Amino acid sequence: QVELVESGGGLVQAGGSLRLSCACSGRTFSRYAMGWFRQAPGKEREFVATISSSGGVTYYGDSVKGRFTISRDNAKNTMYLQMNSLKPEDTAVYYCASGRLPYAISKGSATDFDSWGQGTQVTVSS
């Protein structure tokens, strides 16, 4: 049974930075793509970033390109999201997700993922 636990969320002022972490257990972490998604109140879930199993391929949503960086440490079974130049519109619950198929690459479709964390709140004040 896959377990994903996010951490690192919080309250930050606009222009600030946060680093989210996602710890994975219950599967061979290094075999699966990972992703970050977010959902703001009253809005649909939005793709943020994905990373391939090796970490060599990444994709980003248009709204975060150039500001967010996804990475992973397969030795620690952990994925990260470095968020810089945060804006109030980045306020949302951020979820990490683990890929459905080994070694498959995802360009950001939620259906590419079959395991999800509980989410961590990120609030950016203006």
Side-chain angles (χ1 to χ4, degrees), residues 9-71:
L11 174 64
V12 64
Q13 288 189 330
S17 299
L18 280 175
R19 188 196 196 202
L20 305 184
S21 299
C22 173
C24 177
S25 60
R27 72 175 7 169
T28 305
F29 179 75
S30 62
R31 293 181 181 176
Y32 295 88
M34 296 290 293
W36 288 101
F37 293 78
R38 67 187 183 186
Q39 188 165 20
K43 295 187 176 181
E44 294 190 352
R45 181 171 52 191
E46 179 187 10
F47 160 62
V48 175
T50 62
I51 187 167
S52 63
S53 56
S54 67
V57 179
T58 58
Y59 291 96
Y60 294 91
D62 288 341
S63 62
V64 306
K65 278 180 184 176
R67 299 187 298 122
F68 290 10
T69 302
I70 189 172
S71 63

Side-chain angles (χ1 to χ4, degrees), residues 3 8 17 33 40 52 56 68 78 82-84 87 97-98 101 115 119:
E3 183 177 19
S17 299
S52 63
F68 290 10
T78 303
Q82 178 66 44
M83 305 186 294
N84 298 330
K87 305 174 181 179
S98 184
L101 300 174
S115 299

